[in-house]
Amino acid sequence: MRTLKRKSSLTKFLRYLIVALILLFICLVILAVSYWVSAKSNLSGTIISAGLGQTVQIQFDENDVPHVKAKSQRDAYYTLGFLHATERSWQLEISRRLASGRLSEILGERTVSLDRFIRTLGIKQAAEKQFERYPAEIKQLVQAYADGVNAGNRALGWALPIEYFLTGSKPGYWSAADSVAWSLMMALDLGDNWQKELFRLELSQYLSTTDIWQVMPPYPGTNPVTNIDFAKLYREHQVFRPTQSKVQASRDGEPYLLKHVDTVGWLSDQQEGLGSNNWVLTGKKTISGKPLLANDPHLGLSAPSTWYFAHLEAPGLNVIGATLPGIPAVVLGRTDKIAWGFTNTGPDVQDLYLEKIDPDNPNQYIGPDGPLSFLAREEIIQIKDKPPLRFVVKQTRHGPIISDSHARAKKVIDTDRYALALRWTALDVENQTLLGGILMNRADSIDSFKNALRHHYAPMQTVAIADVQGNIALQVAGVAPRRQLHHGLYGVAPALGWERQFDWTAYLPFEQLPSFFNPTAEWLASANQEIISASNPNPLTGDWDLPFRYDRIAAMIGEKDQHDRTSMQAMQGDVLSLGAQALLPLFKNAQSGHTLQPGIQSVIDRFDGSMSIDSTAALIFNTWVDQLTRILFSRLGDSFTEEYGRRSFRGAVNHQISNPDSPWCDVHTTAERENCQGAANLALQRALNDLSQRYGKSSTDWRWGTAHHALSEHRPFKNIPLLAEFFNVSIPFPGDAFTVNVGRPVLNNPKAPFQANHAPSLRAIYDLNDPEQSAFMLPTGQSGWVQSHRYRNLSASWATNQLIPLAMKPKQVQRELVLKAKSF
């Protein structure tokens, strides 16, 4: 009887449970349907917006580019902010939090070290001070953009992008200073000179300066820009942390210090050679007789895309191109009379200074004329589900002390005696980069465009320009300290902060920056290679990127007497790696003794450096050169582990194999003395072992595109199981770090060493014969709503180097949105 009762109770419980689960499922379906219907991921119709002056019409063309028609520039920028918020709300929110050091409020402990570093730099404080100095008219336009962002977020209602629900957050208030702060973050993203200085300081613990120049060789064909033996200098001043302290620090290290791994996917400081390609041809080099201009900026790939294309039209304003959510301007694009494209110049605008702490007073440091007090402020970071972090940021006459918040900096120096400060142009109160951007959008000639560039401060950019009259130009824009070859340290390694000789004395005037106009060669190009001004022989940095992309662009321009859009497009998609050329003889002569080598030797022998998706040889070569690099430089220990992936060491590898008996080629783990060919043999053995384990023992299954995926990563869900598959965008991609069609591998990711996180963040070609025939492409899509087909609809076309129209007068309108001013 009791058994029957128990069975009856269990049956009732199961029945109730099933009913409850069914009701829960129905509720979830209703909620999902309600969200799907309510989410404003495809806005159209009419919206009343209180911040507008007059009605604005927005037409979205067949490629989802919005065409904004406003009756004032203020309303145009307000509408751009509105569009950024409605299309990219989460991107704006994460950017705002990143720039102000407030990620941990919603993401918890894992972003505290990054927040601490950004707070240490004082990005938001610097932005607020800079904005106060802007001209009144520009301040009003930047504020109008901010008002538009906030209005756009309000217009979304309760059905916010999914990321807000997953993080338990809501859109925060966007201020005008947030736009300035985001421009500073872009400058930080594109500047890594201080990282190179820190690496040289680190190497100075156990290498001579001569050896360091072997690991980080000067630009090809040049000598080091400084003659100072900096490694000796640091040892003489006992800069480095004593060995005993290092061991203790590794055991009892302070939490929340920035590490390399903390920045991956947030900042691009883990990569060298962040830059771009641009080139421009005069009418004598084109079939149409008018200029053609190509641009493809290389940035960390993100989902949604870094860029959002838009067309703004208002009195005195008619511009179309790539906007940055958070910035009130078309950053890259064209008007109806001129077109332009940026590359990163890569100047040395960041110097580290070793500050000597006053032994009698730790609150002071030694200046040229005696002790000075640190400026100090307290910062408080709110951490989700954790107590807040309180810490003190110190600043010297050079800038903020970063060694208190950066793990590697703190580990390398004796922090009882020294601190590391960062001097960086972008933090200057005079920085008014947004003013330059807004004035660029109004330019109607190359001259007026160059005048706008005079206000561009940071990051320094090399700008290719063309106009409908047939003129072309290349102009470097931004500020950089005046340096003189072989005087001082030239910014290659941390300077002694107490010696006046290492201080910056002045910035280069605009007239002494590299500038070219209508050259006799009939073309101009930049790809982050060395670029020297005719009026100033001193280079802007001692750390230029390698010239392989520029050399390849120059060769392709010279292969045809005249070009058209099709040939320009083919150049953008080129995957022949000149960075592989010097290594091919060593690669083809390598003898591994591996059982697979006889079957693949013919593939190796035919390899010409082309990094196409379906190439077996490209995968073998890249795996081989990865192993060769490790053989040569893994003896650097933790320093190599930290840096490999941030930089490829390709310049150093090429430099060493130019001497067949280079001591760096000797495999330090063996008793024998190897030359470079011996190292190459071992590298091929290890490469074939690795390929067999990863991709199977049949080389017919080995393809470059299998290993080399372009990954557009979502912040912050890029590494979270299930969510990563939903939010990231991944696709096989050609190229390597040195091809014109860049696909820069991460290298230090053991699971996916050839995954490309840096590639063309957009491609654009501008036709000055008929600007309406211009074209562009993004790596993901226009939308930031992950459930929208527009979130990733362009990825396949981008990966195969296709383009879509960039016209001010669209042939087709797929939807319309009208913003109406609220009447009172």
Side-chain angles (χ1 to χ4, degrees):
M1 196 71 167
R2 290 179 181 175
T3 302
L4 291 173
K5 287 183 177 179
R6 282 199 297 270
K7 286 183 177 179
S8 176
S9 298
L10 180 61
T11 301
K12 288 181 179 178
F13 173 76
L14 291 174
R15 188 178 298 124
Y16 290 144
L17 179 61
I18 291 171
V19 171
L21 290 174
I22 291 173
L23 290 173
L24 177 62
F25 176 75
I26 292 171
C27 288
L28 289 174
V29 169
I30 291 172
L31 181 63
V33 171
S34 177
Y35 174 78
W36 189 268
V37 172
S38 301
K40 298 179 174 64
S41 58
N42 209 39
L43 275 176
S44 61
T46 300
I47 294 178
I48 305 298
S49 194
L52 272 179
Q54 299 181 71
T55 297
V56 175
Q57 183 185 47
I58 310 163
Q59 294 183 329
F60 293 83
D61 67 22
E62 66 272 24
N63 297 309
D64 204 48
V65 175
H67 298 260
V68 175
K69 293 185 179 180
K71 293 177 177 148
S72 72
Q73 292 190 25
R74 185 201 173 280
D75 283 351
Y77 287 117
Y78 176 98
T79 304
L80 181 63
F82 186 94
L83 288 168
H84 282 167
T86 52
E87 293 282 4
R88 303 286 188 88
S89 178
W90 176 254
Q91 186 178 25
L92 282 170
E93 178 64 11
I94 213 73
S95 299
R96 182 184 67 84
R97 289 185 173 275
L98 174 60
S100 56
R102 296 181 59 188
L103 289 168
S104 303
E105 293 176 2
I106 61 171
L107 300 181
E109 210 169 11
R110 63 190 174 121
T111 55
V112 175
S113 62
L114 180 56
D115 280 345
R116 177 172 180 171
F117 186 69
I118 297 300
R119 297 279 190 99
T120 296
L121 295 182
I123 296 291
K124 186 63 179 291
Q125 290 94 332
E128 289 170 343
K129 292 176 182 177
Q130 290 169 5
F131 180 69
E132 285 305 311
R133 295 169 64 100
Y134 271 66
E137 183 217 357
I138 303 302
K139 288 173 75 172
Q140 291 171 3
L141 294 179
V142 179
Q143 184 61 55
Y145 172 85
D147 293 342
V149 170
N150 295 317
N153 278 326
R154 287 193 298 271
L156 295 178
W158 73 270
L160 297 168
I162 297 171
E163 293 94 330
Y164 287 110
F165 297 103
L166 294 174
T167 57
S169 61
K170 292 182 179 181
Y173 176 77
W174 187 275
S175 70
D178 285 321
S179 290
V180 180
W182 192 237
S183 74
L184 297 184
M185 290 302 299
M186 291 304 297
L188 181 62
D189 197 46
L190 292 172
D192 75 335
N193 176 261
W194 73 274
Q195 302 273 9
K196 294 173 183 174
E197 290 187 42
L198 182 58
F199 186 38
R200 289 189 177 101
L201 176 65
E202 202 171 53
L203 293 178
S204 296
Q205 296 173 97
Y206 43 83
L207 294 182
S208 68
T209 299
T210 300
D211 286 338
I212 293 170
W213 285 116
Q214 297 291 311
V215 177
M216 302 178 72
Y219 190 73
T222 70
N223 296 316
V225 292
T226 178
N227 294 325
I228 291 181
D229 187 345
F230 49 83
K232 179 183 177 183
L233 183 71
Y234 300 143
R235 286 193 288 270
E236 288 175 347
H237 285 280
Q238 299 179 325
V239 165
F240 302 113
R241 182 185 290 273
T243 305
Q244 179 97 16
S245 298
K246 282 184 186 178
V247 174
Q248 187 68 25
S250 66
R251 291 175 182 167
D252 305 318
E254 182 183 351
Y256 303 137
L257 300 183
L258 186 76
K259 301 176 183 177
H260 165 47
V261 69
D262 295 330
T263 68
V264 175
W266 294 99
L267 304 176
S268 292
D269 69 347
Q270 76 273 19
Q271 292 281 349
E272 70 179 344
L274 286 175
S276 310
N277 304 316
N278 64 22
W279 63 93
V280 59
L281 314 178
T282 70
K284 292 183 179 179
K285 290 288 290 182
T286 68
I287 292 173
S288 71
K290 286 292 180 72
L292 285 167
L293 189 153
N295 186 207
D296 52 291
H298 309 152
L299 297 171
L301 297 177
S302 65
S305 167
T306 301
W307 306 98
Y308 179 76
F309 272 76
H311 173 206
L312 305 178
E313 186 178 350
L317 180 71
N318 191 20
V319 61
I320 188 171
T323 69
L324 277 169
I327 303 295
V330 170
V331 180
L332 305 169
R334 70 174 182 89
T335 67
D336 49 2
K337 294 182 179 178
I338 62 169
W340 70 94
F342 283 5
T343 68
N344 193 32
T345 311
D348 186 349
V349 295
Q350 298 169 326
D351 277 2
L352 291 179
Y353 283 89
L354 281 159
E355 305 288 14
K356 186 185 295 183
I357 299 171
D358 186 347
D360 299 321
N361 184 352
N363 294 318
Q364 294 186 322
Y365 65 101
I366 305 301
D369 301 316
L372 297 167
S373 295
F374 287 106
L375 297 178
R377 69 176 188 273
E378 184 183 49
E379 292 281 354
I380 304 173
I381 296 176
Q382 302 296 331
I383 309 170
K384 185 178 182 179
D385 300 327
K386 294 282 183 180
L389 171 69
R390 296 175 178 268
F391 64 100
V392 174
V393 174
K394 292 183 290 187
Q395 186 162 327
T396 72
R397 65 194 186 95
H398 295 115
I401 295 294
I402 67 165
S403 49
D404 290 342
S405 63
H406 194 283
R408 287 179 69 185
K410 193 177 186 73
K411 183 180 178 182
V412 69
I413 63 173
D414 184 349
T415 52
D416 292 332
R417 301 177 67 235
Y418 294 99
L420 270 175
L422 174 65
R423 175 81 167 94
W424 179 30
T425 58
L427 296 178
D428 294 350
V429 71
E430 296 84 4
N431 183 353
Q432 295 194 353
T433 293
L434 294 189
L435 167 60
I438 290 172
L439 294 181
M440 278 165 40
N441 288 185
R442 300 174 179 176
D444 58 4
S445 68
I446 288 182
D447 285 342
S448 61
F449 191 89
K450 282 188 175 183
N451 284 333
L453 289 178
R454 288 177 178 272
H455 299 280
H456 183 88
Y457 209 90
M460 182 174 273
Q461 298 288 288
T462 303
V463 189
I465 320 165
D467 67 19
V468 293
Q469 280 75 38
N471 301 300
I472 68 169
L474 199 70
Q475 176 68 56
V476 170
V479 300
R482 185 189 297 276
R483 304 183 194 272
Q484 189 173 351
L485 271 174
H486 307 123
H487 285 246
L489 283 164
Y490 215 86
V492 302
L496 307 183
W498 59 91
E499 293 194 10
R500 203 184 306 275
Q501 64 167 312
F502 297 114
D503 287 350
W504 293 359
T505 57
Y507 288 156
L508 288 169
F510 188 80
E511 289 72 20
Q512 289 188 18
L513 297 177
S515 181
F516 309 90
F517 183 75
N518 287 342
T520 55
E522 309 298 341
W523 63 272
L524 292 163
S526 67
N528 320 115
Q529 81 287 356
E530 182 182 62
I531 181 169
I532 303 294
S533 171
S535 58
N536 179 19
N538 299 293
L540 292 166
T541 181
D543 288 309
W544 299 105
D545 196 19
L546 294 168
F548 299 123
R549 283 181 288 112
Y550 174 81
D551 291 343
R552 180 60 182 153
I553 290 168
M556 289 190 290
I557 290 174
E559 286 172 1
K560 293 172 68 74
D561 292 332
Q562 293 182 317
H563 289 265
D564 57 13
R565 204 192 83 173
T566 300
S567 64
M568 298 280 277
Q569 185 175 345
M571 289 170 64
Q572 285 187 326
D574 185 74
V575 294
L576 181 65
S577 176
L578 298 189
Q581 302 294 308
L583 294 167
L584 289 182
L586 203 64
F587 174 55
K588 294 180 178 182
N589 289 328
Q591 296 298 317
S592 67
H594 196 284
T595 57
L596 289 175
Q597 183 167 359
I600 62 172
Q601 189 59 49
S602 61
V603 173
I604 291 174
D605 290 340
R606 293 194 301 271
F607 184 57
D608 64 353
S610 180
M611 303 294 173
S612 58
I613 285 178
D614 59 354
S615 172
T616 298
L619 179 55
I620 299 171
F621 173 83
N622 280 286
T623 309
W624 169 79
V625 78
D626 172 49
Q627 294 295 336
L628 180 64
T629 305
R630 294 174 187 274
I631 288 170
L632 265 62
F633 299 113
S634 63
R635 69 196 69 192
L636 300 176
D638 290 344
S639 296
F640 175 78
T641 303
E642 289 277 2
E643 284 295 305
Y644 194 44
R646 187 199 305 275
R647 57 192 92 262
S648 70
F649 287 82
R650 184 62 59 87
V653 171
N654 286 354
H655 184 66
Q656 295 311 319
I657 64 103
S658 64
N659 172 15
D661 296 314
S662 167
W664 288 88
C665 288
D666 179 38
V667 183
H668 68 287
T669 56
T670 68
E672 295 80 14
R673 172 71 182 234
E674 288 87 2
N675 59 16
C676 290
Q677 190 60 64
N681 296 342
L682 178 59
L684 185 58
Q685 173 77 33
R686 292 179 178 178
L688 295 179
N689 287 338
D690 183 68
L691 289 167
S692 299
Q693 293 172 7
R694 290 181 188 272
Y695 308 110
K697 296 187 182 299
S698 174
S699 61
T700 57
D701 296 329
W702 301 352
R703 293 289 183 271
W704 181 227
T706 303
H708 191 247
H709 276 230
L711 181 65
S712 296
E713 297 180 321
H714 181 276
R715 299 173 179 175
F717 301 140
K718 65 188 184 75
N719 288 326
I720 298 178
L722 299 180
L723 290 180
E725 294 295 318
F726 187 51
F727 285 97
N728 289 345
V729 178
S730 180
I731 194 164
F733 196 71
D736 70 1
F738 312 104
T739 51
V740 174
N741 192 10
V742 164
R744 194 179 303 277
V746 178
L747 296 173
N748 61 352
N749 179 351
K751 294 182 179 179
F754 303 118
Q755 175 181 291
N757 295 92
H758 287 76
S761 60
L762 68 82
R763 297 190 190 95
I765 296 175
Y766 305 100
D767 185 343
L768 279 301
N769 178 59
D770 181 1
E772 288 293 277
Q773 296 302 310
S774 301
F776 81 103
M777 182 54 67
L778 288 175
T780 53
Q782 282 277 81
S783 178
W785 294 80
V786 69
Q787 70 267 33
S788 170
H789 80 282
R790 299 181 293 111
Y791 182 82
R792 64 185 76 221
N793 64 311
L794 299 178
S795 61
S797 298
W798 171 79
T800 53
N801 192 36
Q802 298 177 49
L803 296 172
I804 53 180
L806 183 64
M808 290 182 172
K809 299 175 181 177
K811 294 180 180 178
Q812 180 182 341
V813 175
Q814 64 172 359
R815 60 188 167 105
E816 292 191 50
L817 174 65
V818 176
L819 297 185
K820 280 193 172 182
K822 186 175 182 179
S823 57
F824 295 94

